[in-house]
Amino acid sequence: MQQRLADRQSEVLHIRRELLEHLLHDSTVALAITLMLASRLNNVLEMYGTQSFESLTDKVWARLVQLARRSPQGSTSDVCIEVTQADLARSVGGSRYRVGLELNRLEARGVIALSRGQIKIMREHIERGAGKVL
């Protein structure tokens, strides 16, 4: 049997017979694992769709709205998201430089306010949704 080596850090997951038998007998665990896998698959498909069809401007805006909606903040006039431009760039599949340009455009329009490690989004713009950028 030939062994293969990974060219970077990797993790191998095996679904063992014991796990499958356990899932057959415990519907709560089976449902929890199914929901977790469905959520992960949904995230992958959403990322693929976002990277395939939208402009960088739309990707950045959609991601900002998504992060803002997940943020557990009250009814203030704006939502503060703790994210760096590099992290945002990785999540939309763009370079930090290009994402920075898009963020500067949004800031010039008064839609967001940039500070180190944080982006504030005006709540009125979040409620308009993640469609095309303003």
Side-chain angles (χ1 to χ4, degrees), residues 47-118:
M47 183 175 59
Y48 174 75
T50 298
Q51 290 181 354
S52 299
F53 303 112
E54 296 178 328
S55 69
L56 183 60
T57 302
D58 292 337
K59 290 179 197 179
V60 169
W61 178 243
R63 185 67 177 143
L64 288 174
V65 170
Q66 182 183 42
L67 291 170
R69 287 181 175 165
R70 290 182 184 169
S71 179
Q73 298 182 17
S75 59
T76 59
S77 63
D78 54 353
V79 176
C80 185
I81 303 168
E82 292 190 18
V83 64
T84 65
Q85 291 184 17
D87 290 338
L88 185 58
R90 274 192 296 278
S91 73
V92 298
S95 70
R96 200 210 62 74
Y97 175 77
R98 293 273 323 277
V99 168
L101 292 175
E102 297 302 332
L103 291 173
N104 288 334
R105 288 184 189 121
L106 289 170
E107 186 175 39
R109 291 182 184 163
V111 176
I112 64 172
L114 297 173
S115 60
R116 187 169 185 82
Q118 294 183 340

